[in-house]
Amino acid sequence: MSREAAGATDGQQPRPAFLSQPVYQLACAACIRPLCLRAMKAVMLSDHSKELYSTDMPPAGLQLVNEDRQVRHCACRIRDSACLGCGQVAGYHVTQPCADCLNDQNNGHFWMFYSSAV
């Protein structure tokens, strides 16, 4: 793909792919309470067949529940997040990203939503 086709003009770098992705508003699948006004589609890094949504802003419709836990594929720590309306676990928050994940290409989205829960 040429730089021009990727949205760059002379002297500019191409825009990262995530800047051109659609933005979604998410609601709880169980009670329809709004959870997030600015989410993007994502895939789970440890299993690319699992689709998720993610955001970089703490969602107003969620609260953190349960304890932090270590993920299997890296040193990140995550914690479940649940709907404030009905308590259904809707996803998780990366509470402590590991150095490898921070050094890898990421978009700063540390709030994840399960597709089945929104």
Side-chain angles (χ1 to χ4, degrees), residues 31-70:
C31 73
I32 315 301
R33 179 185 176 97
L35 298 178
C36 176
L37 299 176
R38 191 177 83 180
M40 297 169 67
K41 282 191 177 182
V43 293
M44 188 175 285
L45 292 177
S46 62
D47 182 353
H48 291 281
S49 69
K50 294 187 179 180
E51 287 188 0
L52 303 167
Y53 292 91
S54 68
T55 188
D56 59 341
M57 296 178 53
L62 296 176
Q63 71 178 25
L64 295 176
V65 296
N66 304 321
E67 299 295 322
D68 276 18
R69 64 185 183 276
Q70 180 88 35

PDB file of all heavy atoms in Angstrom, residues 31-70:
ATOM      1  N   CYS A  31     -28.978  -6.343  30.665  1.00  0.00           N
ATOM      2  CA  CYS A  31     -29.947  -5.342  31.153  1.00  0.00           C
ATOM      3  C   CYS A  31     -30.010  -4.085  30.289  1.00  0.00           C
ATOM      4  O   CYS A  31     -30.750  -3.159  30.607  1.00  0.00           O
ATOM      5  CB  CYS A  31     -29.633  -4.968  32.599  1.00  0.00           C
ATOM      6  SG  CYS A  31     -28.153  -3.936  32.813  1.00  0.00           S
ATOM      7  N   ILE A  32     -29.229  -4.012  29.227  1.00  0.00           N
ATOM      8  CA  ILE A  32     -29.202  -2.909  28.258  1.00  0.00           C
ATOM      9  C   ILE A  32     -28.681  -1.594  28.857  1.00  0.00           C
ATOM     10  O   ILE A  32     -28.788  -0.547  28.257  1.00  0.00           O
ATOM     11  CB  ILE A  32     -30.605  -2.686  27.603  1.00  0.00           C
ATOM     12  CG1 ILE A  32     -31.218  -3.997  27.193  1.00  0.00           C
ATOM     13  CG2 ILE A  32     -30.513  -1.776  26.390  1.00  0.00           C
ATOM     14  CD1 ILE A  32     -30.389  -4.813  26.207  1.00  0.00           C
ATOM     15  N   ARG A  33     -28.080  -1.620  30.017  1.00  0.00           N
ATOM     16  CA  ARG A  33     -27.484  -0.411  30.599  1.00  0.00           C
ATOM     17  C   ARG A  33     -26.286   0.003  29.746  1.00  0.00           C
ATOM     18  O   ARG A  33     -25.437  -0.826  29.414  1.00  0.00           O
ATOM     19  CB  ARG A  33     -27.047  -0.677  32.031  1.00  0.00           C
ATOM     20  CG  ARG A  33     -26.399   0.537  32.695  1.00  0.00           C
ATOM     21  CD  ARG A  33     -25.871   0.166  34.075  1.00  0.00           C
ATOM     22  NE  ARG A  33     -25.189   1.276  34.671  1.00  0.00           N
ATOM     23  CZ  ARG A  33     -25.730   2.117  35.533  1.00  0.00           C
ATOM     24  NH1 ARG A  33     -26.983   1.954  35.923  1.00  0.00           N
ATOM     25  NH2 ARG A  33     -25.026   3.103  36.032  1.00  0.00           N
ATOM     26  N   PRO A  34     -26.163   1.294  29.415  1.00  0.00           N
ATOM     27  CA  PRO A  34     -24.979   1.756  28.675  1.00  0.00           C
ATOM     28  C   PRO A  34     -23.709   1.512  29.492  1.00  0.00           C
ATOM     29  O   PRO A  34     -23.673   1.780  30.695  1.00  0.00           O
ATOM     30  CB  PRO A  34     -25.225   3.254  28.498  1.00  0.00           C
ATOM     31  CG  PRO A  34     -26.690   3.435  28.669  1.00  0.00           C
ATOM     32  CD  PRO A  34     -27.123   2.377  29.646  1.00  0.00           C
ATOM     33  N   LEU A  35     -22.692   0.971  28.829  1.00  0.00           N
ATOM     34  CA  LEU A  35     -21.434   0.670  29.507  1.00  0.00           C
ATOM     35  C   LEU A  35     -20.286   1.550  29.041  1.00  0.00           C
ATOM     36  O   LEU A  35     -19.442   1.944  29.824  1.00  0.00           O
ATOM     37  CB  LEU A  35     -21.046  -0.798  29.293  1.00  0.00           C
ATOM     38  CG  LEU A  35     -21.996  -1.849  29.829  1.00  0.00           C
ATOM     39  CD1 LEU A  35     -21.483  -3.247  29.494  1.00  0.00           C
ATOM     40  CD2 LEU A  35     -22.179  -1.685  31.329  1.00  0.00           C
ATOM     41  N   CYS A  36     -20.251   1.839  27.748  1.00  0.00           N
ATOM     42  CA  CYS A  36     -19.103   2.547  27.178  1.00  0.00           C
ATOM     43  C   CYS A  36     -19.552   3.304  25.933  1.00  0.00           C
ATOM     44  O   CYS A  36     -20.278   2.764  25.110  1.00  0.00           O
ATOM     45  CB  CYS A  36     -18.010   1.534  26.829  1.00  0.00           C
ATOM     46  SG  CYS A  36     -16.575   2.239  26.029  1.00  0.00           S
ATOM     47  N   LEU A  37     -19.110   4.540  25.809  1.00  0.00           N
ATOM     48  CA  LEU A  37     -19.480   5.365  24.658  1.00  0.00           C
ATOM     49  C   LEU A  37     -18.426   5.372  23.554  1.00  0.00           C
ATOM     50  O   LEU A  37     -18.668   5.904  22.485  1.00  0.00           O
ATOM     51  CB  LEU A  37     -19.740   6.801  25.114  1.00  0.00           C
ATOM     52  CG  LEU A  37     -20.877   6.975  26.110  1.00  0.00           C
ATOM     53  CD1 LEU A  37     -20.980   8.428  26.561  1.00  0.00           C
ATOM     54  CD2 LEU A  37     -22.186   6.500  25.501  1.00  0.00           C
ATOM     55  N   ARG A  38     -17.236   4.774  23.823  1.00  0.00           N
ATOM     56  CA  ARG A  38     -16.152   4.853  22.847  1.00  0.00           C
ATOM     57  C   ARG A  38     -15.330   3.561  22.885  1.00  0.00           C
ATOM     58  O   ARG A  38     -14.309   3.478  23.550  1.00  0.00           O
ATOM     59  CB  ARG A  38     -15.263   6.046  23.178  1.00  0.00           C
ATOM     60  CG  ARG A  38     -14.275   6.368  22.084  1.00  0.00           C
ATOM     61  CD  ARG A  38     -13.483   7.581  22.421  1.00  0.00           C
ATOM     62  NE  ARG A  38     -12.368   7.235  23.286  1.00  0.00           N
ATOM     63  CZ  ARG A  38     -11.493   8.107  23.736  1.00  0.00           C
ATOM     64  NH1 ARG A  38     -11.629   9.377  23.456  1.00  0.00           N
ATOM     65  NH2 ARG A  38     -10.503   7.719  24.491  1.00  0.00           N
ATOM     66  N   ALA A  39     -15.783   2.573  22.133  1.00  0.00           N
ATOM     67  CA  ALA A  39     -15.074   1.292  22.090  1.00  0.00           C
ATOM     68  C   ALA A  39     -14.731   0.941  20.650  1.00  0.00           C
ATOM     69  O   ALA A  39     -15.349   1.433  19.712  1.00  0.00           O
ATOM     70  CB  ALA A  39     -15.941   0.194  22.699  1.00  0.00           C
ATOM     71  N   MET A  40     -13.737   0.074  20.511  1.00  0.00           N
ATOM     72  CA  MET A  40     -13.320  -0.406  19.198  1.00  0.00           C
ATOM     73  C   MET A  40     -13.262  -1.926  19.230  1.00  0.00           C
ATOM     74  O   MET A  40     -13.057  -2.519  20.290  1.00  0.00           O
ATOM     75  CB  MET A  40     -11.934   0.144  18.856  1.00  0.00           C
ATOM     76  CG  MET A  40     -11.907   1.653  18.743  1.00  0.00           C
ATOM     77  SD  MET A  40     -10.231   2.336  18.657  1.00  0.00           S
ATOM     78  CE  MET A  40      -9.704   1.733  17.095  1.00  0.00           C
ATOM     79  N   LYS A  41     -13.455  -2.556  18.076  1.00  0.00           N
ATOM     80  CA  LYS A  41     -13.306  -4.001  17.997  1.00  0.00           C
ATOM     81  C   LYS A  41     -11.842  -4.363  18.199  1.00  0.00           C
ATOM     82  O   LYS A  41     -10.948  -3.640  17.781  1.00  0.00           O
ATOM     83  CB  LYS A  41     -13.794  -4.543  16.654  1.00  0.00           C
ATOM     84  CG  LYS A  41     -15.288  -4.648  16.577  1.00  0.00           C
ATOM     85  CD  LYS A  41     -15.711  -5.424  15.358  1.00  0.00           C
ATOM     86  CE  LYS A  41     -17.230  -5.559  15.365  1.00  0.00           C
ATOM     87  NZ  LYS A  41     -17.703  -6.343  14.229  1.00  0.00           N
ATOM     88  N   ALA A  42     -11.635  -5.511  18.851  1.00  0.00           N
ATOM     89  CA  ALA A  42     -10.278  -5.988  19.129  1.00  0.00           C
ATOM     90  C   ALA A  42     -10.293  -7.507  19.106  1.00  0.00           C
ATOM     91  O   ALA A  42     -11.355  -8.130  19.004  1.00  0.00           O
ATOM     92  CB  ALA A  42      -9.828  -5.481  20.503  1.00  0.00           C
ATOM     93  N   VAL A  43      -9.122  -8.100  19.199  1.00  0.00           N
ATOM     94  CA  VAL A  43      -9.012  -9.552  19.336  1.00  0.00           C
ATOM     95  C   VAL A  43      -8.150  -9.838  20.562  1.00  0.00           C
ATOM     96  O   VAL A  43      -7.267  -9.054  20.916  1.00  0.00           O
ATOM     97  CB  VAL A  43      -8.398 -10.248  18.099  1.00  0.00           C
ATOM     98  CG1 VAL A  43      -9.318 -10.148  16.907  1.00  0.00           C
ATOM     99  CG2 VAL A  43      -7.039  -9.698  17.765  1.00  0.00           C
ATOM    100  N   MET A  44      -8.425 -10.956  21.214  1.00  0.00           N
ATOM    101  CA  MET A  44      -7.648 -11.359  22.373  1.00  0.00           C
ATOM    102  C   MET A  44      -6.242 -11.742  21.911  1.00  0.00           C
ATOM    103  O   MET A  44      -6.092 -12.543  20.981  1.00  0.00           O
ATOM    104  CB  MET A  44      -8.332 -12.525  23.076  1.00  0.00           C
ATOM    105  CG  MET A  44      -7.702 -12.883  24.394  1.00  0.00           C
ATOM    106  SD  MET A  44      -8.631 -14.163  25.263  1.00  0.00           S
ATOM    107  CE  MET A  44     -10.035 -13.228  25.846  1.00  0.00           C
ATOM    108  N   LEU A  45      -5.227 -11.173  22.524  1.00  0.00           N
ATOM    109  CA  LEU A  45      -3.854 -11.433  22.096  1.00  0.00           C
ATOM    110  C   LEU A  45      -3.470 -12.891  22.265  1.00  0.00           C
ATOM    111  O   LEU A  45      -2.722 -13.437  21.466  1.00  0.00           O
ATOM    112  CB  LEU A  45      -2.879 -10.542  22.871  1.00  0.00           C
ATOM    113  CG  LEU A  45      -2.974  -9.048  22.566  1.00  0.00           C
ATOM    114  CD1 LEU A  45      -2.016  -8.265  23.442  1.00  0.00           C
ATOM    115  CD2 LEU A  45      -2.704  -8.776  21.099  1.00  0.00           C
ATOM    116  N   SER A  46      -3.990 -13.551  23.297  1.00  0.00           N
ATOM    117  CA  SER A  46      -3.623 -14.948  23.535  1.00  0.00           C
ATOM    118  C   SER A  46      -4.420 -15.920  22.674  1.00  0.00           C
ATOM    119  O   SER A  46      -4.063 -17.083  22.558  1.00  0.00           O
ATOM    120  CB  SER A  46      -3.807 -15.299  25.006  1.00  0.00           C
ATOM    121  OG  SER A  46      -5.157 -15.149  25.374  1.00  0.00           O
ATOM    122  N   ASP A  47      -5.526 -15.442  22.075  1.00  0.00           N
ATOM    123  CA  ASP A  47      -6.359 -16.299  21.225  1.00  0.00           C
ATOM    124  C   ASP A  47      -7.042 -15.420  20.187  1.00  0.00           C
ATOM    125  O   ASP A  47      -8.091 -14.843  20.437  1.00  0.00           O
ATOM    126  CB  ASP A  47      -7.398 -17.042  22.071  1.00  0.00           C
ATOM    127  CG  ASP A  47      -8.255 -17.994  21.255  1.00  0.00           C
ATOM    128  OD1 ASP A  47      -8.158 -17.993  20.007  1.00  0.00           O
ATOM    129  OD2 ASP A  47      -9.035 -18.738  21.871  1.00  0.00           O
ATOM    130  N   HIS A  48      -6.448 -15.322  19.008  1.00  0.00           N
ATOM    131  CA  HIS A  48      -6.941 -14.408  17.970  1.00  0.00           C
ATOM    132  C   HIS A  48      -8.316 -14.779  17.427  1.00  0.00           C
ATOM    133  O   HIS A  48      -8.907 -14.007  16.676  1.00  0.00           O
ATOM    134  CB  HIS A  48      -5.927 -14.307  16.829  1.00  0.00           C
ATOM    135  CG  HIS A  48      -4.674 -13.591  17.225  1.00  0.00           C
ATOM    136  ND1 HIS A  48      -4.588 -12.234  17.309  1.00  0.00           N
ATOM    137  CD2 HIS A  48      -3.466 -14.069  17.608  1.00  0.00           C
ATOM    138  CE1 HIS A  48      -3.385 -11.886  17.696  1.00  0.00           C
ATOM    139  NE2 HIS A  48      -2.677 -12.985  17.892  1.00  0.00           N
ATOM    140  N   SER A  49      -8.862 -15.919  17.805  1.00  0.00           N
ATOM    141  CA  SER A  49     -10.202 -16.285  17.349  1.00  0.00           C
ATOM    142  C   SER A  49     -11.286 -15.638  18.215  1.00  0.00           C
ATOM    143  O   SER A  49     -12.457 -15.651  17.843  1.00  0.00           O
ATOM    144  CB  SER A  49     -10.374 -17.809  17.357  1.00  0.00           C
ATOM    145  OG  SER A  49     -10.398 -18.303  18.683  1.00  0.00           O
ATOM    146  N   LYS A  50     -10.914 -15.061  19.358  1.00  0.00           N
ATOM    147  CA  LYS A  50     -11.894 -14.449  20.265  1.00  0.00           C
ATOM    148  C   LYS A  50     -11.952 -12.948  20.042  1.00  0.00           C
ATOM    149  O   LYS A  50     -10.970 -12.238  20.246  1.00  0.00           O
ATOM    150  CB  LYS A  50     -11.546 -14.762  21.718  1.00  0.00           C
ATOM    151  CG  LYS A  50     -11.664 -16.230  22.031  1.00  0.00           C
ATOM    152  CD  LYS A  50     -11.476 -16.501  23.487  1.00  0.00           C
ATOM    153  CE  LYS A  50     -11.631 -17.994  23.723  1.00  0.00           C
ATOM    154  NZ  LYS A  50     -11.456 -18.342  25.112  1.00  0.00           N
ATOM    155  N   GLU A  51     -13.141 -12.489  19.626  1.00  0.00           N
ATOM    156  CA  GLU A  51     -13.337 -11.057  19.407  1.00  0.00           C
ATOM    157  C   GLU A  51     -13.742 -10.381  20.700  1.00  0.00           C
ATOM    158  O   GLU A  51     -14.495 -10.930  21.501  1.00  0.00           O
ATOM    159  CB  GLU A  51     -14.400 -10.821  18.346  1.00  0.00           C
ATOM    160  CG  GLU A  51     -13.938 -11.150  16.952  1.00  0.00           C
ATOM    161  CD  GLU A  51     -14.924 -10.722  15.888  1.00  0.00           C
ATOM    162  OE1 GLU A  51     -15.989 -10.171  16.224  1.00  0.00           O
ATOM    163  OE2 GLU A  51     -14.620 -10.929  14.708  1.00  0.00           O
ATOM    164  N   LEU A  52     -13.241  -9.176  20.876  1.00  0.00           N
ATOM    165  CA  LEU A  52     -13.535  -8.345  22.036  1.00  0.00           C
ATOM    166  C   LEU A  52     -13.823  -6.937  21.553  1.00  0.00           C
ATOM    167  O   LEU A  52     -13.683  -6.635  20.374  1.00  0.00           O
ATOM    168  CB  LEU A  52     -12.318  -8.281  22.972  1.00  0.00           C
ATOM    169  CG  LEU A  52     -11.723  -9.546  23.519  1.00  0.00           C
ATOM    170  CD1 LEU A  52     -10.367  -9.254  24.144  1.00  0.00           C
ATOM    171  CD2 LEU A  52     -12.657 -10.137  24.558  1.00  0.00           C
ATOM    172  N   TYR A  53     -14.198  -6.087  22.483  1.00  0.00           N
ATOM    173  CA  TYR A  53     -14.212  -4.645  22.277  1.00  0.00           C
ATOM    174  C   TYR A  53     -13.276  -4.075  23.324  1.00  0.00           C
ATOM    175  O   TYR A  53     -13.084  -4.658  24.395  1.00  0.00           O
ATOM    176  CB  TYR A  53     -15.616  -4.064  22.446  1.00  0.00           C
ATOM    177  CG  TYR A  53     -16.570  -4.483  21.357  1.00  0.00           C
ATOM    178  CD1 TYR A  53     -17.340  -5.621  21.490  1.00  0.00           C
ATOM    179  CD2 TYR A  53     -16.692  -3.730  20.194  1.00  0.00           C
ATOM    180  CE1 TYR A  53     -18.215  -6.011  20.494  1.00  0.00           C
ATOM    181  CE2 TYR A  53     -17.560  -4.114  19.182  1.00  0.00           C
ATOM    182  CZ  TYR A  53     -18.322  -5.256  19.350  1.00  0.00           C
ATOM    183  OH  TYR A  53     -19.181  -5.632  18.354  1.00  0.00           O
ATOM    184  N   SER A  54     -12.692  -2.915  23.042  1.00  0.00           N
ATOM    185  CA  SER A  54     -11.782  -2.306  24.003  1.00  0.00           C
ATOM    186  C   SER A  54     -11.940  -0.794  24.001  1.00  0.00           C
ATOM    187  O   SER A  54     -12.442  -0.207  23.043  1.00  0.00           O
ATOM    188  CB  SER A  54     -10.335  -2.678  23.664  1.00  0.00           C
ATOM    189  OG  SER A  54      -9.938  -2.066  22.450  1.00  0.00           O
ATOM    190  N   THR A  55     -11.501  -0.187  25.103  1.00  0.00           N
ATOM    191  CA  THR A  55     -11.500   1.268  25.206  1.00  0.00           C
ATOM    192  C   THR A  55     -10.313   1.706  26.052  1.00  0.00           C
ATOM    193  O   THR A  55      -9.779   0.926  26.844  1.00  0.00           O
ATOM    194  CB  THR A  55     -12.817   1.821  25.798  1.00  0.00           C
ATOM    195  OG1 THR A  55     -12.805   3.247  25.697  1.00  0.00           O
ATOM    196  CG2 THR A  55     -13.013   1.402  27.243  1.00  0.00           C
ATOM    197  N   ASP A  56      -9.930   2.965  25.885  1.00  0.00           N
ATOM    198  CA  ASP A  56      -8.841   3.524  26.682  1.00  0.00           C
ATOM    199  C   ASP A  56      -9.349   4.356  27.847  1.00  0.00           C
ATOM    200  O   ASP A  56      -8.570   4.800  28.672  1.00  0.00           O
ATOM    201  CB  ASP A  56      -7.917   4.370  25.799  1.00  0.00           C
ATOM    202  CG  ASP A  56      -8.634   5.522  25.122  1.00  0.00           C
ATOM    203  OD1 ASP A  56      -9.878   5.497  25.027  1.00  0.00           O
ATOM    204  OD2 ASP A  56      -7.948   6.451  24.666  1.00  0.00           O
ATOM    205  N   MET A  57     -10.665   4.560  27.919  1.00  0.00           N
ATOM    206  CA  MET A  57     -11.256   5.382  28.979  1.00  0.00           C
ATOM    207  C   MET A  57     -11.969   4.495  29.998  1.00  0.00           C
ATOM    208  O   MET A  57     -12.686   3.576  29.601  1.00  0.00           O
ATOM    209  CB  MET A  57     -12.274   6.357  28.380  1.00  0.00           C
ATOM    210  CG  MET A  57     -11.668   7.370  27.447  1.00  0.00           C
ATOM    211  SD  MET A  57     -12.905   8.459  26.713  1.00  0.00           S
ATOM    212  CE  MET A  57     -13.760   9.063  28.143  1.00  0.00           C
ATOM    213  N   PRO A  58     -11.802   4.755  31.294  1.00  0.00           N
ATOM    214  CA  PRO A  58     -12.542   3.964  32.285  1.00  0.00           C
ATOM    215  C   PRO A  58     -14.048   4.117  32.048  1.00  0.00           C
ATOM    216  O   PRO A  58     -14.571   5.228  32.073  1.00  0.00           O
ATOM    217  CB  PRO A  58     -12.133   4.580  33.621  1.00  0.00           C
ATOM    218  CG  PRO A  58     -10.824   5.249  33.348  1.00  0.00           C
ATOM    219  CD  PRO A  58     -10.897   5.715  31.913  1.00  0.00           C
ATOM    220  N   PRO A  59     -14.750   3.014  31.776  1.00  0.00           N
ATOM    221  CA  PRO A  59     -16.187   3.088  31.480  1.00  0.00           C
ATOM    222  C   PRO A  59     -17.011   3.437  32.722  1.00  0.00           C
ATOM    223  O   PRO A  59     -16.788   2.887  33.800  1.00  0.00           O
ATOM    224  CB  PRO A  59     -16.534   1.679  30.993  1.00  0.00           C
ATOM    225  CG  PRO A  59     -15.220   1.048  30.653  1.00  0.00           C
ATOM    226  CD  PRO A  59     -14.218   1.680  31.553  1.00  0.00           C
ATOM    227  N   ALA A  60     -17.956   4.350  32.557  1.00  0.00           N
ATOM    228  CA  ALA A  60     -18.799   4.783  33.678  1.00  0.00           C
ATOM    229  C   ALA A  60     -19.792   3.709  34.106  1.00  0.00           C
ATOM    230  O   ALA A  60     -20.247   3.715  35.240  1.00  0.00           O
ATOM    231  CB  ALA A  60     -19.549   6.063  33.300  1.00  0.00           C
ATOM    232  N   GLY A  61     -20.137   2.777  33.228  1.00  0.00           N
ATOM    233  CA  GLY A  61     -21.152   1.778  33.533  1.00  0.00           C
ATOM    234  C   GLY A  61     -20.634   0.509  34.180  1.00  0.00           C
ATOM    235  O   GLY A  61     -21.370  -0.457  34.344  1.00  0.00           O
ATOM    236  N   LEU A  62     -19.347   0.491  34.550  1.00  0.00           N
ATOM    237  CA  LEU A  62     -18.730  -0.726  35.097  1.00  0.00           C
ATOM    238  C   LEU A  62     -18.107  -0.475  36.456  1.00  0.00           C
ATOM    239  O   LEU A  62     -17.766   0.649  36.799  1.00  0.00           O
ATOM    240  CB  LEU A  62     -17.611  -1.224  34.175  1.00  0.00           C
ATOM    241  CG  LEU A  62     -17.969  -1.691  32.785  1.00  0.00           C
ATOM    242  CD1 LEU A  62     -16.704  -2.033  32.027  1.00  0.00           C
ATOM    243  CD2 LEU A  62     -18.891  -2.886  32.836  1.00  0.00           C
ATOM    244  N   GLN A  63     -17.934  -1.567  37.194  1.00  0.00           N
ATOM    245  CA  GLN A  63     -17.113  -1.525  38.394  1.00  0.00           C
ATOM    246  C   GLN A  63     -16.217  -2.758  38.400  1.00  0.00           C
ATOM    247  O   GLN A  63     -16.573  -3.790  37.833  1.00  0.00           O
ATOM    248  CB  GLN A  63     -17.953  -1.479  39.656  1.00  0.00           C
ATOM    249  CG  GLN A  63     -18.682  -2.759  39.988  1.00  0.00           C
ATOM    250  CD  GLN A  63     -19.451  -2.631  41.295  1.00  0.00           C
ATOM    251  OE1 GLN A  63     -19.822  -1.541  41.705  1.00  0.00           O
ATOM    252  NE2 GLN A  63     -19.691  -3.747  41.931  1.00  0.00           N
ATOM    253  N   LEU A  64     -15.048  -2.623  38.991  1.00  0.00           N
ATOM    254  CA  LEU A  64     -14.134  -3.753  39.095  1.00  0.00           C
ATOM    255  C   LEU A  64     -14.627  -4.703  40.180  1.00  0.00           C
ATOM    256  O   LEU A  64     -15.084  -4.263  41.236  1.00  0.00           O
ATOM    257  CB  LEU A  64     -12.717  -3.274  39.404  1.00  0.00           C
ATOM    258  CG  LEU A  64     -12.063  -2.441  38.306  1.00  0.00           C
ATOM    259  CD1 LEU A  64     -10.702  -1.925  38.762  1.00  0.00           C
ATOM    260  CD2 LEU A  64     -11.939  -3.234  37.022  1.00  0.00           C
ATOM    261  N   VAL A  65     -14.548  -6.006  39.895  1.00  0.00           N
ATOM    262  CA  VAL A  65     -14.990  -7.025  40.848  1.00  0.00           C
ATOM    263  C   VAL A  65     -13.927  -8.119  40.938  1.00  0.00           C
ATOM    264  O   VAL A  65     -13.057  -8.224  40.086  1.00  0.00           O
ATOM    265  CB  VAL A  65     -16.353  -7.645  40.444  1.00  0.00           C
ATOM    266  CG1 VAL A  65     -17.455  -6.593  40.484  1.00  0.00           C
ATOM    267  CG2 VAL A  65     -16.285  -8.280  39.059  1.00  0.00           C
ATOM    268  N   ASN A  66     -14.037  -8.941  41.951  1.00  0.00           N
ATOM    269  CA  ASN A  66     -13.122 -10.055  42.181  1.00  0.00           C
ATOM    270  C   ASN A  66     -11.705  -9.524  42.402  1.00  0.00           C
ATOM    271  O   ASN A  66     -11.480  -8.325  42.558  1.00  0.00           O
ATOM    272  CB  ASN A  66     -13.201 -11.078  41.043  1.00  0.00           C
ATOM    273  CG  ASN A  66     -14.622 -11.582  40.845  1.00  0.00           C
ATOM    274  OD1 ASN A  66     -15.341 -11.789  41.812  1.00  0.00           O
ATOM    275  ND2 ASN A  66     -15.022 -11.774  39.605  1.00  0.00           N
ATOM    276  N   GLU A  67     -10.751 -10.410  42.423  1.00  0.00           N
ATOM    277  CA  GLU A  67      -9.353 -10.046  42.687  1.00  0.00           C
ATOM    278  C   GLU A  67      -8.552  -9.991  41.394  1.00  0.00           C
ATOM    279  O   GLU A  67      -8.900 -10.629  40.414  1.00  0.00           O
ATOM    280  CB  GLU A  67      -8.723 -11.087  43.630  1.00  0.00           C
ATOM    281  CG  GLU A  67      -9.394 -11.188  44.992  1.00  0.00           C
ATOM    282  CD  GLU A  67      -9.241  -9.919  45.815  1.00  0.00           C
ATOM    283  OE1 GLU A  67      -8.168  -9.302  45.772  1.00  0.00           O
ATOM    284  OE2 GLU A  67     -10.218  -9.543  46.487  1.00  0.00           O
ATOM    285  N   ASP A  68      -7.459  -9.233  41.432  1.00  0.00           N
ATOM    286  CA  ASP A  68      -6.520  -9.250  40.309  1.00  0.00           C
ATOM    287  C   ASP A  68      -5.992 -10.666  40.118  1.00  0.00           C
ATOM    288  O   ASP A  68      -5.860 -11.417  41.091  1.00  0.00           O
ATOM    289  CB  ASP A  68      -5.320  -8.344  40.602  1.00  0.00           C
ATOM    290  CG  ASP A  68      -5.570  -6.891  40.278  1.00  0.00           C
ATOM    291  OD1 ASP A  68      -6.731  -6.495  40.139  1.00  0.00           O
ATOM    292  OD2 ASP A  68      -4.585  -6.152  40.185  1.00  0.00           O
ATOM    293  N   ARG A  69      -5.698 -11.008  38.867  1.00  0.00           N
ATOM    294  CA  ARG A  69      -5.103 -12.313  38.594  1.00  0.00           C
ATOM    295  C   ARG A  69      -4.090 -12.176  37.452  1.00  0.00           C
ATOM    296  O   ARG A  69      -4.179 -11.262  36.637  1.00  0.00           O
ATOM    297  CB  ARG A  69      -6.167 -13.357  38.273  1.00  0.00           C
ATOM    298  CG  ARG A  69      -6.962 -13.097  37.009  1.00  0.00           C
ATOM    299  CD  ARG A  69      -8.087 -14.118  36.837  1.00  0.00           C
ATOM    300  NE  ARG A  69      -8.812 -13.926  35.619  1.00  0.00           N
ATOM    301  CZ  ARG A  69      -9.808 -13.067  35.444  1.00  0.00           C
ATOM    302  NH1 ARG A  69     -10.201 -12.295  36.444  1.00  0.00           N
ATOM    303  NH2 ARG A  69     -10.412 -12.964  34.286  1.00  0.00           N
ATOM    304  N   GLN A  70      -3.168 -13.089  37.427  1.00  0.00           N
ATOM    305  CA  GLN A  70      -2.130 -13.140  36.403  1.00  0.00           C
ATOM    306  C   GLN A  70      -2.702 -13.822  35.164  1.00  0.00           C
ATOM    307  O   GLN A  70      -3.412 -14.817  35.280  1.00  0.00           O
ATOM    308  CB  GLN A  70      -0.954 -13.969  36.932  1.00  0.00           C
ATOM    309  CG  GLN A  70       0.197 -14.126  35.988  1.00  0.00           C
ATOM    310  CD  GLN A  70       1.185 -12.994  36.115  1.00  0.00           C
ATOM    311  OE1 GLN A  70       1.393 -12.493  37.198  1.00  0.00           O
ATOM    312  NE2 GLN A  70       1.765 -12.603  35.010  1.00  0.00           N
TER     313      GLN A  70
END
